[in-house]
Amino acid sequence: MKVFQFPLIKITACFVVGLLIAHFAKPAFLFSIISSLASLLILFSIYFFSKSKLVAPTIFGITVLITAVFIGIFTKVSQDPTRNKTHYIHIISEQNKNCTAIVILEEKLKTTAVFNRYVAQIISLDGKATCGKVLLNLKKSSPLKIDIGYKLQAIGTIRKTKPPMNPNQFDYGNYLENKQIYGQLFVKSNSFRISPIKEKSLFYYASLLRNRIIHNLEKNHFHKAELSVVVALILGQQQDISPDIVRDYQYAGAVHVLSVSGLHVGFILLFITFLLKPFPNSRRGALVKLIIVITFLWTFGLLAGFAPSVVRSVTMFSFVAVGMYLQRSVNIYNTLAISALLILLFQPSFLMDVGFQLSYVALYFIVWLQPLLASLWTPKYKLASYFWDIITVSFAAQIGTFPMSIYYFHQFPGLFFITNLVILPGMSLILGLGVFVMFLAAFDWIWLPLLKALEWSIWLLNKAISWVASFEGFVFRDIPLSVFMMWGLYFVIFSVIIWIKKPTFKKLLFLLIAIISLQSLAFSLKYFNQKSEELLVFNYKGASVITKRYGDKVTVYLSNKLLNNNYVNLALNSYLIGNSCILINKRELPNLLYFRHKKILIINRDGKYIAACSPDILLLVNNPKINLDRVLQVIKPKLVVADASNYRLYCKLWQTTCEKEKIPFHSTVEKGFFKL
């Protein structure tokens, strides 16, 4: 592809390869620094000899790419916070003991039913100087208003991030670790004190300004539902959006609108450029305009909390602004590469952020594929051309992000193109008006007609999104897709586009190979899926859930109270989707189960069991009233399993008993689901 003819694209791609190697292989710091220094030394040597024409330019180019890989490895390893010996991960014990922590709040997150949540920096733990980001959970019931920059002394328990406790479950621990958060601090509502000294960083002042803007809008009776959306659109704060509104935007294929991204920053750049038109086009005037534009973009990024999508968009459009100042056509591929390289040099953890990945893939496909789609029809009228451009941009972005979206979210909004036709024409007006109203609100200058115009435009936007989302039949849910199938789909998509752009026999052959490879992969996955047989004991708090799977058919055994409860289907959903299975039957939990010549005895709350059954596995559920010593001596199982329907104290007592009898014990609360 011509894209890879640009050197910056190749260098950035190799740098990303280095980041991925470091992420998965986790090499030692000493190896990363020696390899990067050695590669740089070799590079400079080859450069010196290449000037004397003793070394071919091709060798120099290959060495540059190899060096980029090693620098990527070093960047990732060197910015791993757990390398610091004072990081709290090296201090806290596995036991959930109370500790005294001093933390500084850095970011406010969406609240849960029980906790107010923040990203915080630990500076002291039990009197020892400590570092590291932690997810702070403050139990609700306190009327105190706590914000960014506040320093708290809190007494609570720190728990390390854990792997998923159920199969195919979203790995929240891994998600936090990709954000360099390795533990959660749980604090009761009356177990912390607020220090009068605040950490007055840029984020603190940005939070103050955001709160001032929001307070002034609330004071002038801006409707709450519309305010939550406009704050997400412009300030990047999604904490207060109603779950119903978020669901509507998801079903309509417009959830990206609620996250500040390239769409928003691009519109804002156009808006600021329009406002600065009266400035002279002289060299000095252009420089002043450039400084104003870049200052405004990065101030906007700070207000939006410097989320990965915001940083990427502001960085990229800053390069676009520089290109406009130099009055040169900016090569968009190089702009994307430079912005990605700069961001990942300073924040390599952004690479694993789903929003970051989707943003770059969408932008790449818009740049690469949209001109091809636009060339399919040339409208005669400007209005038709405008809407045709919106449709082609939408389709290009959706084609690019389709495999990745299915892999991560397992659903696809079928009416995305209608949504974009409805919302994109008005987005420039809404964003421009919103930025202007926010600017006035920052100084407590509120002009009611402008305020109401913004409120009504957001109301109309929400209504339009809700109308599109009401056609739920066009939202395709629970679509199974493995990581291998995702890459197979991308292989086919790239092959099709490359062939359409310039059809040749070789490209057609490449396309056929891609299609056959995808089909072979699908058949092999289905074959192995049909051969699979497994029994699972889920970690389901307060109840028992056991599944027996043969091929793609699953039978679930449940506690009585869950038999008619639809919520259990949600708990099983990720397992069914992840393994391309269907639920064929729901049954009451029996006293005895057989699976692949294994006998499983289940002792329930009543404590009754068959003494002469000699099971391979003993499963304890719903806090059975038994003397486990006596039970083990009578039935002599080879393994004891206790699920999450039992009290933790009972599980610990049973574990001690099993250790004394030298029988393996598996508690799903501690070790996660049990698989046979």
Side-chain angles (χ1 to χ4, degrees), residues 533-584:
E533 295 180 3
E534 61 186 16
L535 180 138
L536 292 172
V537 179
F538 281 67
N539 183 62
Y540 190 89
K541 189 175 180 181
S544 296
V545 179
I546 301 172
T547 58
K548 194 189 286 186
R549 174 187 164 204
Y550 294 99
D552 61 352
K553 295 177 176 59
V554 174
T555 299
V556 61
Y557 299 90
L558 307 166
S559 306
N560 281 332
K561 64 180 179 180
L562 290 180
L563 269 176
N564 298 315
N565 187 347
N566 289 329
Y567 181 70
V568 74
N569 291 334
L570 296 178
L572 292 171
N573 211 32
S574 58
Y575 173 68
L576 298 175
I577 294 170
N579 294 280
S580 303
C581 298
I582 54 172
L583 184 64
I584 60 167

Side-chain angles (χ1 to χ4, degrees), residues 356-496:
F356 183 87
Q357 295 170 13
L358 288 171
S359 296
Y360 266 98
V361 169
L363 277 171
Y364 172 77
F365 270 84
I366 288 170
V367 172
W368 184 49
L369 181 58
Q370 192 271 340
L372 177 64
L373 296 176
S375 66
L376 297 175
W377 178 51
T378 305
K380 293 181 180 179
Y381 304 103
K382 282 189 176 181
L383 185 62
S385 179
Y386 177 67
F387 282 101
W388 177 238
D389 284 342
I390 290 174
I391 292 172
T392 54
V393 166
S394 301
F395 269 97
Q398 288 292 346
I399 289 169
T401 58
F402 172 74
M404 197 177 288
S405 298
I406 299 299
Y407 171 68
Y408 282 120
F409 307 116
H410 303 292
Q411 69 176 32
F412 182 75
L415 297 179
F416 67 89
F417 59 97
I418 292 179
T419 302
N420 287 317
L421 278 175
V422 169
I423 66 171
L424 286 186
M427 278 301 292
S428 55
L429 176 64
I430 291 172
L431 285 168
L433 182 60
V435 168
F436 191 57
V437 169
M438 295 282 182
F439 176 78
L440 295 178
F443 297 96
D444 202 8
W445 300 336
I446 299 293
W447 190 35
L448 201 59
L450 272 182
L451 189 76
K452 287 300 175 187
L454 178 62
E455 186 180 328
W456 292 335
S457 63
I458 296 294
W459 180 83
L460 283 172
L461 175 67
N462 287 346
K463 286 294 180 185
I465 293 294
S466 179
W467 173 73
V468 176
S470 66
F471 298 96
E472 291 191 27
F474 291 94
V475 181
F476 305 101
R477 303 186 190 90
D478 301 339
I479 307 171
L481 192 73
S482 68
V483 65
F484 301 108
M485 286 295 291
M486 180 188 77
W487 287 114
L489 274 174
Y490 272 121
F491 187 25
V492 171
I493 289 169
F494 274 100
S495 303
V496 169

Side-chain angles (χ1 to χ4, degrees), residues 111-179:
T111 61
T112 66
V114 181
F115 294 106
N116 291 313
R117 302 188 307 150
Y118 302 84
V119 174
Q121 187 73 228
I122 292 185
I123 59 173
S124 172
L125 195 62
D126 288 333
K128 296 178 183 178
T130 317
C131 67
K133 285 184 180 180
V134 70
L135 184 62
L136 176 64
N137 297 271
L138 289 178
K139 199 156 189 178
K140 287 183 177 178
S141 75
S142 173
L144 293 172
K145 187 172 177 60
I146 307 171
D147 220 322
I148 307 305
Y150 279 52
K151 186 184 288 186
L152 305 182
Q153 184 182 49
I155 299 173
T157 57
I158 296 183
R159 299 175 192 168
K160 293 180 183 179
T161 56
K162 289 185 177 181
M165 304 301 279
N166 283 312
N168 305 102
Q169 188 180 2
F170 172 64
D171 194 340
Y172 189 59
N174 184 60
Y175 169 79
L176 290 177
E177 286 185 8
N178 287 333
K179 295 180 177 293

Side-chain angles (χ1 to χ4, degrees), residues 334-346:
N334 278 330
T335 302
L336 285 170
I338 292 170
S339 64
L341 189 60
L342 282 176
I343 291 166
L344 295 174
L345 270 170
F346 291 99

Side-chain angles (χ1 to χ4, degrees), residues 535 537 598-603 613-620 628 631-632 635-642 654-655 657-659 661-668 671-676:
L535 180 138
V537 179
K598 298 282 186 181
K599 191 186 297 183
I600 303 156
L601 176 65
I602 302 171
I603 302 182
C613 75
S614 299
D616 296 283
I617 298 168
L618 171 62
L619 176 59
L620 304 173
L628 188 58
V631 172
L632 295 180
I635 66 173
K636 295 182 172 29
K638 297 173 184 174
L639 172 70
V640 177
V641 179
W654 294 334
Q655 183 175 3
T657 302
C658 288
E659 286 173 356
E661 296 292 331
K662 296 182 180 179
I663 296 175
F665 179 79
H666 183 108
S667 170
T668 63
K671 299 179 181 179
F673 65 95
F674 172 75
K675 182 177 178 179
L676 184 63

